[in-house]
Amino acid sequence: MEKRLIMGLMLLMAFSVGTMAQTKKNKKSTAQLSKQYVQYAKDKAKGKEKLAEKKASDPATVTREKGDTTVKEKPRTFEDAYNEFKQQAKADYENFRDKVNREYAEFVKEAWEQHKVMPAMPKPKDENIPPVEMDEKEKNKPKKDNPLPIEEVVTPTVPEPQPVPIAPIREQPQPQEKWTSFMVYGTEMKVRFSDDEWFDMKDCSEETVSDIWKRLSGIAYNNTIRDCLELRITKKLSDWAYLNMLNKMAEACLGKGNAATLLMAYVYCQSGYQMRLARAGNRLCMLYGTKHCIYGKGFFNIDGEDYYSFNGEEKNVEICKVAFPNEKPLSLLIPQQQGFAVEKSAERILTSKRYGDMQVKVCANKNLMTFYNDYPSSMLDFNFMTRWAMYANTPLENTAREALYPALREKLKGKNELEAVERLLNWVQTAFVYEYDDKVWGCDRAFFAEESLYYPYCDCEDRSILFSRLVRDLLGLKVVLVFYPGHLATAVHFNSDVTGDYIMLDGVRYTVCDPTYINAPVGSTMPRMDNSKAKVILLE
């Protein structure tokens, strides 16, 4: 009976908005409960087991005497038992979440600890290696097979399912719904936020924060949280986009200030994310936990984990170190296209110098460009190479795809793999204007594929990221990035024999294709590249 109850409770997790989306992708997501909850469920089950034994003394019928007449009660069906169990299970989930929030609010009353900000990881600065144009004599020389050594192979982190609430957050009936609208990267969004939900904060003392957290934990805020989670699902928001959305939502509901910060932190926490409350003087701050090392931004190390302030660059803060059960860190990976509203940029015409018919008009979504401009550059596991994989593995958004892909497919029609890659390679080599990041941006800045289509200049890393995206999407071929000190190139796995410089990885041959070696054909490594120090970055 205990086992059945726990299994049933796990299945009922699917009623949660946060769990619904993950269930479609990963059946195990409904079983991702904290140990605390499982113990809670077991304790409840033990009490119900005894009750069930009493009721089951006669499974068919129970009789009772009423005066001189014996009355037979209607047999208790499985459906009756299940409905009763379902209602009790829902109550158990609500009771558990309420219990956790009450305990959290009590912990918040304890003394907050002083912390100093840790120095930021400096933004990357690589040696500027200029593009090279292949000599005409070299271009016409016959190529030979040339296996190249590689120092290291880097496997990027695979995206995990997004966090979910520790328990389902049930819809609450409202006699009159009031919606609050706000804009996020040019996209109108709205959530339910009633007059009863409004609050203010006279200060951000431990007692005040604790009292308001208890208030937020009431069912009155359920619909607001559900609406936020539904927006994350329907708009396909990454973790970073979701956090920015919550900030805009809280400001729209409560204005800028401590109250909005606490509302944002509460909804973020209830959505399953790792956060810590902090204060600098009388200003409340929210710190988000992440395993990414963000460049150029100071952080706080709390119990061995890194946290960044969402708004502000505080040097000294008091931090409430209380953890919430089953919390998950924010990920800066962007595994799917996000549903921002479309505002098309002006069209650009990009033409290959060798293949005149490889001329296409391109444009991008300006709202997505704004998001990318706010996106914090980072690395994982203190491995600088993971940065390139994050950009290269992000899918191209529909605005750019619809402008670019049909035209390119038409230009590549009837071409074999080598001919198609040669054309794409020369298009990326010659249609774009090369410029160094430090001259344009003042620091190193990698581009997502769309950004190379949008901005007037790009460098070697940007070209390699764009080229790797085009070859994978249009031709279905495997591509890896090849990092030399100061330079990024690519290598492509062809299904047929292709002569030239190549790398062998687990018996699979990847032929070098360098988008910055101007007019160089497939199989040519740019001069002065030291392969003994080269690293290969695997891509999805």
Side-chain angles (χ1 to χ4, degrees):
M1 178 67 181
E2 176 183 328
K3 186 175 180 181
R4 285 183 185 175
L5 179 61
I6 294 171
M7 287 301 293
L9 290 171
M10 286 181 170
L11 288 172
L12 284 168
M13 281 287 282
F15 294 154
S16 140
V17 170
T19 311
M20 258 192 304
Q22 299 302 338
T23 304
K24 295 177 182 177
K25 294 182 181 177
N26 183 356
K27 292 182 181 178
K28 292 184 180 179
S29 63
T30 55
Q32 291 174 344
L33 302 173
S34 65
K35 291 181 181 178
Q36 186 179 355
Y37 182 78
V38 172
Q39 186 58 52
Y40 179 85
K42 286 181 179 178
D43 292 342
K44 299 291 290 184
K46 287 176 183 176
K48 291 184 179 63
E49 191 173 38
K50 292 178 182 177
L51 182 63
E53 286 172 0
K54 270 187 174 181
K55 290 183 177 179
S57 56
D58 183 345
T61 179
V62 176
T63 61
R64 60 185 174 86
E65 291 188 4
K66 188 175 182 180
D68 296 328
T69 308
T70 299
V71 179
K72 284 189 177 182
E73 292 186 344
K74 183 181 178 182
R76 192 165 178 272
T77 65
F78 174 80
E79 185 178 358
D80 294 334
Y82 179 74
N83 288 334
E84 180 184 328
F85 158 77
K86 186 168 71 170
Q87 292 302 317
Q88 183 60 51
K90 288 181 180 179
D92 287 346
Y93 272 120
E94 286 184 352
N95 292 340
F96 173 69
R97 180 168 162 262
D98 182 61
K99 175 177 177 289
V100 170
N101 274 305
R102 276 188 282 107
E103 289 176 354
Y104 183 88
E106 289 302 315
F107 281 126
V108 167
K109 288 182 181 178
E110 297 181 6
W112 294 22
E113 296 182 9
Q114 285 281 352
H115 281 261
K116 287 186 177 181
V117 70
M118 304 289 286
M121 177 69 68
K123 292 184 178 180
K125 186 171 178 59
D126 258 332
E127 176 187 355
N128 286 330
I129 295 181
V132 175
E133 183 164 1
M134 179 173 262
D135 185 86
E136 285 295 327
K137 294 178 182 178
E138 288 293 323
K139 199 185 309 177
N140 297 323
K141 281 184 180 179
K143 288 184 293 184
K144 296 180 180 179
D145 271 349
N146 180 30
L148 301 175
I150 287 294
E151 183 181 60
E152 182 185 350
V153 177
V154 179
T155 303
T157 301
V158 177
E160 295 182 359
Q162 288 183 297
V164 295
I166 59 167
I169 298 172
R170 295 180 63 192
E171 181 85 14
Q172 296 300 317
Q174 291 180 338
Q176 186 173 1
E177 291 181 340
K178 182 180 178 182
W179 293 85
T180 298
S181 299
F182 51 96
M183 299 294 288
V184 183
Y185 297 112
T187 308
E188 185 176 8
M189 301 185 187
K190 62 181 182 178
V191 299
R192 285 167 290 182
F193 194 84
S194 67
D195 293 337
D196 293 339
E197 293 177 79
W198 190 92
F199 66 92
D200 196 7
M201 292 181 69
K202 64 181 185 298
D203 57 51
C204 54
S205 65
E206 294 93 331
E207 291 75 14
T208 298
V209 174
S210 175
D211 288 344
I212 294 180
W213 192 276
K214 289 176 184 174
R215 173 179 173 169
L216 290 167
S217 303
I219 60 174
Y221 295 86
N222 277 18
N223 291 352
T224 304
I225 301 171
R226 286 177 61 89
D227 292 341
C228 290
L229 287 167
E230 186 174 349
L231 284 168
R232 189 184 73 173
I233 294 167
T234 57
K235 299 296 183 184
K236 300 179 181 178
L237 301 179
S238 64
D239 288 353
W240 181 249
Y242 184 63
L243 178 54
N244 279 270
M245 186 210 80
L246 294 184
N247 177 52
K248 295 296 184 183
M249 176 277 300
E251 288 182 354
C253 293
L254 298 174
K256 292 186 177 182
N258 290 338
T261 299
L262 189 54
L263 176 62
M264 174 184 70
Y266 176 74
V267 178
Y268 187 68
C269 168
Q270 300 302 296
S271 300
Y273 290 92
Q274 186 181 53
M275 72 89 198
R276 296 293 180 268
L277 295 171
R279 64 179 172 227
N282 196 39
R283 190 170 75 84
L284 194 66
C285 316
M286 194 202 85
L287 311 179
Y288 60 90
T290 179
K291 294 188 182 301
H292 292 252
C293 179
I294 298 175
Y295 295 113
K297 190 171 176 64
F299 62 95
F300 299 91
N301 188 271
I302 305 170
D303 297 329
E305 297 183 333
D306 294 341
Y307 292 79
Y308 294 83
S309 177
F310 178 67
N311 281 325
E313 294 291 336
E314 295 78 19
K315 303 299 181 185
N316 296 283
V317 296
E318 294 176 287
I319 297 176
C320 175
K321 295 172 61 177
V322 186
F324 207 81
N326 213 31
E327 60 186 13
K328 296 292 193 311
L330 172 143
S331 170
L332 286 170
L333 303 180
I334 308 175
Q336 60 182 345
Q337 293 185 47
Q338 300 179 98
F340 299 130
V342 175
E343 183 184 352
K344 288 186 178 181
S345 66
E347 286 185 336
R348 297 173 66 192
I349 299 176
L350 299 171
T351 308
S352 163
K353 289 183 179 177
R354 178 181 295 171
Y355 306 101
D357 62 326
M358 288 286 289
Q359 182 181 83
V360 293
K361 292 180 181 179
V362 300
C363 65
N365 184 354
K366 292 172 70 174
N367 293 326
L368 182 63
M369 297 303 100
T370 304
F371 170 77
Y372 285 155
N373 200 45
D374 291 344
Y375 174 85
S377 182
S378 69
M379 63 178 170
L380 279 163
D381 303 321
F382 290 93
N383 190 332
F384 178 74
M385 302 300 106
T386 59
R387 178 171 177 249
W388 311 126
M390 292 181 214
Y391 290 88
N393 283 332
T394 298
L396 200 70
E397 193 237 22
N398 280 336
T399 307
R401 291 174 72 97
E402 290 168 1
L404 183 62
Y405 282 11
L408 285 178
R409 283 195 177 97
E410 185 63 31
K411 310 295 183 186
L412 302 176
K413 196 173 181 180
K415 305 293 186 291
N416 62 37
E417 284 181 354
L418 178 57
E419 291 171 335
V421 172
E422 288 279 16
R423 284 172 163 260
L424 288 175
L425 182 61
N426 190 262
W427 183 73
V428 177
Q429 287 171 346
T430 61
F432 297 84
V433 179
Y434 190 97
E435 191 54 272
Y436 300 118
D437 281 344
D438 56 359
K439 185 175 178 180
V440 178
W441 303 100
C443 62
D444 182 78
R445 172 172 171 167
F447 277 172
F448 291 94
E450 291 95 336
E451 292 182 287
S452 292
L453 304 175
Y454 178 72
Y455 292 109
Y457 305 106
C458 59
D459 64 7
C460 64
E461 63 200 30
D462 309 324
R463 293 174 178 219
S464 292
I465 287 166
L466 174 61
F467 177 72
S468 76
R469 188 76 270 164
L470 297 178
V471 173
R472 284 178 290 167
D473 289 353
L474 294 171
L475 305 177
L477 300 178
K478 292 181 181 179
V479 185
V480 296
L481 300 177
V482 185
F483 178 80
Y484 307 94
H487 182 62
L488 192 68
T490 68
V492 177
H493 170 59
F494 291 89
N495 293 311
S496 55
D497 292 334
V498 174
T499 305
D501 298 341
Y502 68 91
I503 298 160
M504 290 298 292
L505 299 174
D506 294 329
V508 178
R509 176 171 170 149
Y510 290 84
T511 305
V512 172
C513 299
D514 195 328
T516 312
Y517 191 8
I518 310 302
N519 286 321
V522 168
S524 303
T525 302
M526 198 161 82
R528 300 187 301 279
M529 296 296 104
D530 184 358
N531 271 84
S532 66
K533 295 182 180 178
K535 304 178 192 298
V536 167
I537 305 160
L538 302 182
L539 299 179
E540 293 173 2

